[in-house]
Amino acid sequence: MYDVKKIRDDFPILGRTVYGKPLVYFDNAATTQKPRMVVDSIANEYYSVNANVHRGVHFLSQQATDLHEEAREKVRAFINAKKTDEIIFTRGTTEAINLLVDSFGNEFMSEGDEVIISAMEHHSNIVPWQILAAKRGISIRVIPINDTGELLLDEYEKLFTERTKIVSITQVSNVLGTINPVKQIIAIAHSHNIPVLIDGAQSVPHMKVDVQDMDADFFAFSGHKVYGPTGIGVLYGKENWLDRLPPYQGGGEMIQSVSFEKTIFEKLPFKFEAGTPDYIGTNGLAKAIDYISTLGMENIATYEHELTQYAMQRMKEIPGMRIYGEATDKGSVISFLVGNIHHLDMGTLLDRLGIAVRTGHHCAQPLMIRLGVEGLVRASFGLYNTKEEVDTLIAGILRISTMFN
Ligand code: PMP
């Protein structure tokens, strides 16, 4: 039984008010709220364990190291990677993608080589490639979308050339909610012997992810979007790829030995983890994974799917409603505009009613251009949202629409 009332009790922030109204938090695609057990684990580790990892022979250091490495194993099991060595801790999805682009780009790409991305990418899967393009003269090819917000797979197939070196695609769009058929996308790339990086920032919080089943070569996600702390994220990579990639940053922790003549780098995963890692964050992430695993990813997905279906249906009752992203396979994100009400006005007025939504370009300006809009309002749901909250949103939008008319 999915008991959302009981679940909400685990998130103290959900009990607060905003402008005297009960908070309705619908900005989960930007970041999620944290269950008490995650926040407690962070405080407890600082209070009772804190010491730098991998270095000290002393008790606390070993205990902190154990927690940190147990977290790596927890992440491995959570996304079903084959080995813990394939789990690299980063600051988030953005850093994970930058790491891969920099390292892969330096090793395997030269002038004229190509990366394939899509029209619905977040800036964090566009700009790093552009930086590489400016440095090394690579070019970026873009899979177009149709008007319902789905990738055109026939066009994707046509983008492969002998200069294609990698494909980098989001699993779920943070704007359209589209769930891309990544297994098929990866299989097509592999038929050309091309590796694929999947941006899992918006998929991992909402569905069961199995990197071996989808056969991703690289996979990135952020802790803060999956009910864990900020500042921690993951890059997964197949061992045979990571072994061939050069380090991203240099420093402590990532070396076996250093002399002024020669440095020998550490083995995986430490080769990619220069400096003191966020070992408090990794343990916090592990606790978040414990939390959602206890609820069950399938149960979360079913619950959120039903909630989103309900919200989509209610949204369509609103006169002048335009929803952006109506893919058959859609996650718990609804982007919209009503009549000619500016997205910022809608967001600001909803906020006054205690409803937190996102407005603007959602770090996907090329997608805004494709959709022919300057910005959108986005409501995105998490495992603790309810139909009553959706009703509050609908009533709020109706009230604002009436004001403008
Ligand atoms: N990719 C997608 C699809 C996202 O939605 C986001 C966050 N909005 C990111 C990447 C970047 O994640 P982070 O800011 O946590 O690095």
Side-chain angles (χ1 to χ4, degrees):
M1 244 286 274
Y2 195 90
D3 187 348
V4 73
K5 283 212 168 57
K6 194 158 157 280
I7 290 169
R8 289 177 70 84
D9 288 341
D10 296 331
F11 294 81
I13 203 170
L14 298 179
R16 71 162 290 176
T17 55
V18 175
Y19 305 114
K21 307 268 186 338
L23 169 69
V24 173
Y25 186 76
F26 281 160
D27 196 15
N28 293 284
T31 199
T32 51
Q33 302 303 344
K34 319 303 170 198
R36 196 177 269 109
M37 65 184 275
V38 168
V39 181
D40 286 351
S41 93
I42 294 167
N44 289 341
E45 191 172 356
Y46 274 124
Y47 285 143
S48 61
V49 183
N50 184 48
N52 207 333
V53 293
H54 298 141
R55 294 177 193 185
V57 289
H58 62 80
F59 186 88
L60 288 187
S61 176
Q62 289 189 6
Q63 205 174 4
T65 304
D66 287 347
L67 286 172
H68 179 62
E69 291 306 323
E70 280 162 27
R72 200 187 302 277
E73 165 55 22
K74 194 136 276 172
V75 171
R76 182 208 64 73
F78 182 58
I79 60 170
N80 194 33
K82 203 182 274 176
K83 298 183 169 179
T84 47
D85 288 359
E86 297 175 322
I87 305 298
I88 297 158
F89 286 121
T90 65
R91 282 195 300 120
T93 306
T94 303
E95 192 182 48
I97 296 175
N98 275 277
L99 186 167
L100 200 270
V101 173
D102 191 81
S103 180
F104 187 93
N106 279 327
E107 188 68 14
F108 292 113
M109 296 181 86
S110 51
E111 191 168 345
D113 284 343
E114 296 163 1
V115 55
I116 297 176
I117 63 171
S118 89
M120 64 172 84
E121 296 312 312
H122 187 277
H123 292 163
S124 62
N125 193 26
I126 301 173
V127 183
W129 296 110
Q130 288 175 330
I131 292 172
L132 184 69
K135 263 198 317 210
R136 296 184 79 92
I138 67 145
S139 61
I140 300 167
R141 312 203 74 196
V142 182
I143 312 169
I145 57 170
N146 63 20
D147 290 339
T148 51
E150 292 161 321
L151 293 178
L152 297 175
L153 293 188
D154 290 349
E155 298 299 320
Y156 166 53
E157 293 237 42
K158 290 184 209 153
L159 293 178
F160 285 89
T161 71
E162 70 282 1
R163 300 307 301 266
T164 307
K165 286 291 171 348
I166 188 165
V167 174
S168 189
I169 297 286
T170 193
Q171 186 168 12
V172 175
S173 161
N174 65 312
V175 176
L176 306 163
T178 311
I179 303 172
N180 289 319
V182 286
K183 206 169 165 174
Q184 193 184 349
I185 289 169
I186 291 168
I188 291 168
H190 286 176
S191 72
H192 295 271
N193 287 320
I194 299 302
V196 181
L197 164 63
I198 298 294
D199 172 351
Q202 297 294 346
S203 59
V204 170
H206 304 289
M207 61 182 71
K208 177 94 197 88
V209 163
D210 183 330
V211 290
Q212 288 191 77
D213 180 60
M214 75 172 74
D215 205 15
D217 302 281
F218 307 102
F219 187 95
F221 72 95
S222 298
H224 71 97
K225 290 191 200 279
V226 64
Y227 310 96
T230 52
I232 193 70
V234 171
L235 175 69
Y236 156 82
K238 283 181 184 167
E239 188 180 39
N240 65 349
W241 272 114
L242 293 179
D243 269 338
R244 285 184 282 157
L245 292 176
Y248 171 53
Q249 295 177 327
E253 298 263 340
M254 53 77 74
I255 51 85
Q256 255 170 31
S257 67
V258 178
S259 71
F260 283 116
E261 287 70 40
K262 185 175 168 61
T263 288
I264 299 171
F265 301 130
E266 256 293 12
K267 58 184 175 41
L268 289 176
F270 308 112
K271 180 173 82 173
F272 293 106
E273 293 179 350
T276 298
D278 184 356
Y279 52 86
I280 306 278
T282 55
N283 185 30
L285 174 59
K287 296 297 178 291
I289 290 174
D290 283 342
Y291 184 83
I292 55 176
S293 302
T294 304
L295 292 179
M297 286 317 293
E298 278 87 0
N299 297 333
I300 293 170
T302 307
Y303 178 79
E304 289 182 353
H305 182 69
E306 201 189 307
L307 187 66
T308 309
Q309 296 280 97
Y310 176 72
M312 284 290 277
Q313 177 211 319
R314 296 253 22 226
M315 290 284 235
K316 288 178 179 174
E317 292 167 10
I318 297 171
M321 171 62 67
R322 295 193 302 288
I323 291 171
Y324 293 81
E326 296 214 52
T328 320
D329 223 359
K330 182 175 161 82
S332 50
V333 171
I334 303 180
S335 292
F336 64 94
L337 289 173
V338 184
N340 49 18
I341 305 173
H342 194 272
H343 56 88
L344 202 56
D345 291 335
M346 179 63 85
T348 308
L349 292 168
L350 284 173
D351 178 51
R352 287 280 156 179
L353 301 172
I355 305 164
V357 293
R358 191 73 155 198
T359 63
H361 56 62
H362 309 286
C363 298
Q365 283 181 321
L367 178 59
M368 297 299 117
I369 294 167
R370 165 63 180 82
L371 298 174
V373 296
E374 184 203 308
L376 295 169
V377 188
R378 180 185 71 188
S380 54
F381 311 122
L383 56 83
Y384 36 59
N385 289 126
T386 64
K387 285 187 178 166
E388 291 72 35
E389 289 182 308
V390 170
D391 292 341
T392 306
L393 171 69
I394 302 297
I397 299 172
L398 280 169
R399 188 167 153 193
I400 294 160
S401 306
T402 316
M403 263 171 58
F404 274 81
N405 288 330

